[in-house]
Amino acid sequence: MKRKYLLGTIAVVATIAFTGCASTSETMMQQGYGPYYSHGYEDGCHSGRKAGGSMLDQFTKNVQQYDSNHKYKEGWDDGYKVCHSEEKQLMKNIANAQRDTAIKNRYKN
């Protein structure tokens, strides 16, 4: 059961790694969000994931836009909060799965 959980977690990580936030702003614009909010959200998402422990993302913020455009700022803040929380939960799930596997292997024999 735990092995299936670990494999499921790895599959989720791989999916996120390959899809990431690359098309987030385009998708959001198609859903009716404006370009400034969408771009801010995407930048905030990358930044939040990085802060949450992702080694695949980088901190990204257009400081000039953040300081002068309230839609970019709002999008960046929202993206950061959501993706930071998701990344921290993902890292916690991976750590728990690794711990559970180590415990199971220790008592297997």
Side-chain angles (χ1 to χ4, degrees):
M1 180 68 160
K2 296 292 181 183
R3 184 178 181 142
K4 285 184 181 179
Y5 177 75
L6 179 60
L7 292 175
T9 302
I10 291 170
V12 169
V13 171
T15 301
I16 290 171
F18 291 117
T19 59
C21 285
S23 64
T24 300
S25 64
E26 286 180 12
T27 301
M28 291 180 78
M29 284 189 279
Q30 291 172 355
Q31 294 173 350
Y33 293 93
Y36 294 111
Y37 181 89
S38 300
H39 186 68
Y41 190 97
E42 185 171 342
D43 287 353
C45 186
H46 285 294
S47 300
R49 285 189 176 148
K50 179 65 174 177
S54 172
M55 296 183 347
L56 303 173
D57 289 279
Q58 293 194 12
F59 183 86
T60 306
K61 181 191 261 185
N62 183 326
V63 177
Q64 182 179 1
Q65 285 288 323
Y66 189 86
D67 290 342
S68 65
N69 187 306
H70 75 280
K71 289 295 184 186
Y72 178 90
K73 180 184 187 315
E74 184 180 355
W76 194 95
D77 290 345
D78 289 349
Y80 182 92
K81 288 175 195 170
V82 169
C83 294
H84 181 254
S85 176
E86 289 175 351
E87 189 69 26
K88 283 182 70 171
Q89 186 61 51
L90 179 64
M91 292 299 170
K92 182 178 178 181
N93 291 346
I94 291 170
N96 287 342
Q98 290 172 338
R99 183 201 64 225
D100 292 348
T101 300
I103 291 170
K104 182 179 177 183
N105 288 340
R106 189 175 346 150
Y107 293 106
K108 193 175 187 178
N109 297 326

